Amino acid sequence: MVSAGELLLLAGLVLAAAATGGFYQTNHLVTAPQTTQFLEIGSNFKATCMIVNTTEVTADDLYWKLSETTVSKELYTKLNESAISVTVPVTSVQSEWLFCRAKKGKSPYVFLNTGKFMYGVLLKKGYPPGKPENVFCVAVQEKTTISSTFRCDWATVGRQTSDVPTKYTLNVVVIHIRNYSVSTEGTHAQVEFVDTYPHFMTLEIWVEAHNMLGKIESERITQDANSFVKTNPPSDIKVISEKYFPTSPLMNWTQPINKSYGKLKYEIRFCTSGSPNWTYVPKGDIATDIQSFRLQSLQPYTEYITQVRCQLGHWSDWSGTTMKTAEDRPTSKPDLWRTIAEVDGKNERRVQFISKDPVFANGRIITFDIKIQEQKNDNLQWDTILVNGSESSDGQRVITVLKDMLLADLRPVRLCVTANNSVGTSPMASLFISAKGREDPPVKGLKVWSAEGKLWLQWTPPNGPDLSEYVVEWVSGEQTDWQRENKNTRLTAIKGNLEGFVRYTVSVYSIYSGRIGKPASKEAYLKEGAPLEGPVVRLNDKPGRNEAELGWVEIPLHRQRGFIVNYTINYTGGGETHEVTVPGNTVSYTLKSLSSNTKYDTWINASTVRGSAQSSTHSFTTLKYAPGEVESIVVGVSLGFMFVVLMTMLLCLYKKDVIKENVWPRIPNPGESTIGNWSPDYPLKAETPKENCLSGISVQDVDVCDGKSVFEEDKACLPLKKDKYLSEEHSSGIGGSSCMSSPRQSVSDSDEGSDMADTTASTVQYSSVVASNGYKGQTPNPHPQQAVFSRSESTQPLLDSEENPDMMIQESSRQSQGFKQENPAEIHLLEMDQQQEEEGVESLGFCPLDEESEQTKPSEGQSAASSYMSQREGYRPQ
């Protein structure tokens, strides 16, 4: 439903259209408002569009567009058939155009006259002005009067945009006299009073902020004009230090402005030179309108900076000067300490007594009086030590060496010291040096770390009832310094001037009524950095075949610039690079698994927590053979050769018979045969056959001459065949006797003798003596008879069995097992004959037969052995 306000707006648009008919003859749309609008960011803006002088379009054909974006129809409100409104939120900071437009496709007229169906309004956005705050106005002194220029400053509140800037107007009203105002876009402004500054008059001051979205005023200030005056600081300041009042110097100054302008207030402060901490004199102790003041409780012989300022309206700037108070008697003890160094080879210590000036020296110390006292002697005289009087340029107290002495380990002493200046003597300080090994216990759990540009220490107190204080000592090279802490201290920072990249040995000593306890020490850096150089690398010994021991010299302490946390060993050889990391406390390392006869290049990186430095490269070549390896090989080979030779000799000794038989076979010596001494006229004594000759052979009970033997059937010996002799006659010589050979004579047939002579180079006489006794268990002939000698002229060589009877016995034993069912004698003779045939030896125990016997055939009942033997050899038994 259309509200009354919207109806009034439409009526106004109609009246405006009638008043400006010329414009609307060319444009059929008009918006309200029509001019540029300044909008507050975060608010909503409402605009109305009306159709005039046309019926081509209606309100349903209109739409709104904000910049390049079409406004949603949800924000539209249709007032009637010819008017429509829209409400859009103001969000962005940039300026934008809001257009009301008609749809082009309604009619050809609208399409051809698009410009007549468009109207827009420019939206500029910003913030309303904020209330100015902290308005401060001042009138400064020029020469001896107050300037007529009155300046005010303020602070802005809120935000501004370039489309909606804020301007400020300073308003100054001299009550009942005149008003002054000035505008600016900044945060300060000034007005010029007519003639002179309005002293003793009331001023009303405020600042007004305004822009297109509104205006606002600051709080109004209504005060006396002198309350805005700022004078110059007091001048000609002097501080007088008096001999009899060393702690109360007198301070004088000159007022900056004539008293006719008003009474001035003053403020005084002072501090020691170089200190940032100021001491303010209570305002209640300072009267108004004065030009001098006596300071209190200053330290004698101390340089101070004193300052003063005054106030009429605003406080003036500070003005001041530097002064030094007069000397006074020292009010504190000398800061006494000692250093101890061991003496090699002696039961003594080198003790150096050192001291700093008293904290409250109250003057320049010119001498120290010292007395070294043993427990049993208290009547020693005081010695005076002159001081050169130089002072440290960095503000630190100078350390004076009082005494340097050798002290036995078991000798305790006490040192007493006083300090003197031009006014008097300080209280006495004493220090007790205990016998070595009898010091009191140290503090516990000491920790040292760097933070905030300082070295901090923390510890736990020892168990000691008479603990009086602590001494914190830090040592770097030959420089030693210390500070004292009270007995309740658990955490402190070193107050001395420490340098970065320098290693300090920090120790905490517990002091027991002048006795020094054992120290607890730590090493620390105020600041660490990378080392300035690397370690010096070397070989500790000659390199081996597969290893080499590297050693290096630590970097000088002043070049380390930090704790060495590790060393990184790099070495390259044979085209490969290796890296090994070892702890920082290592000074040597053995490289292993190296290649033999190879050149290696090695270098070491020393690292701190802040960086590392590399050493120079060191080269070495490994050995081709390890030390002693060649000697070991030679010794091993020699021992092996000797072992082989020794074992060979032992084997030869142990197997000499076997070797002899295989290398040098035994050949029978004919000269040792008994047949060589035989003669038909002197027959040899028959030898009894040895039992082992036919061991293992089963023999029937038969006598040599028994007619019932197996040979009995064979009454005549078979003749010896010539061709058989010729075929077997290959060797000559004289053989030894055989135990079973029968005595035989050499016989030859007249017809065959020439043939034998032709075919045989020489004949060998075989002979044997056969005993009449029975063999082993065989029953001999009851009629004993003498041994029968038989001789043969056979040319058959000796059997191996004749030379080696043992071999014959073993062979006959094996062969006899195959003839269990036959006649043992026949089987044995057959085996012996077969063996003799293979080895080319004549059979034993038979004599050659005549030619007639050759034609004799074995009877049917003759044994196989006898038949075979008679057919082969032509022998018969004797």
Side-chain angles (χ1 to χ4, degrees), residues 806-854:
D806 293 338
M807 294 178 61
M808 180 192 70
I809 294 171
Q810 294 175 5
E811 183 67 23
S812 61
S813 174
R814 287 193 300 268
Q815 294 179 0
S816 63
Q817 295 178 3
F819 300 95
K820 296 286 186 176
Q821 304 300 327
E822 301 293 338
N823 190 323
E826 295 176 353
I827 295 173
H828 174 63
L829 293 174
L830 181 61
E831 291 174 347
M832 291 183 61
D833 183 67
Q834 182 178 358
Q835 181 177 0
Q836 292 173 357
E837 183 180 8
E838 293 175 355
E839 297 179 358
V841 181
E842 289 279 338
S843 64
L844 304 178
F846 297 95
C847 61
L849 302 179
D850 52 15
E851 294 180 355
E852 296 178 355
S853 64
E854 283 185 6

Side-chain angles (χ1 to χ4, degrees), residues 60 115 123 140 151 187 351 380 396 408 460 509 527 537 651 727 812 866:
D60 294 332
L123 307 181
V140 298
R151 176 188 171 98
T187 58
V351 181
L380 297 178
Q396 298 294 314
T460 301
Y509 294 83
K527 183 179 180 181
V537 186
L651 183 61
S727 62
S812 61
S866 300

Side-chain angles (χ1 to χ4, degrees), residues 272-311:
T272 57
S273 180
S275 173
N277 301 319
W278 292 93
T279 300
Y280 289 82
V281 177
K283 293 182 179 180
D285 295 345
I286 304 174
T288 60
D289 199 21
I290 60 175
Q291 296 185 22
S292 64
F293 185 82
R294 183 173 290 275
L295 301 175
Q296 303 291 328
S297 303
L298 272 65
Q299 290 295 328
Y301 201 69
T302 303
E303 191 175 76
Y304 283 93
I305 298 175
T306 58
Q307 293 182 343
V308 62
R309 66 179 180 174
C310 61
Q311 180 190 40

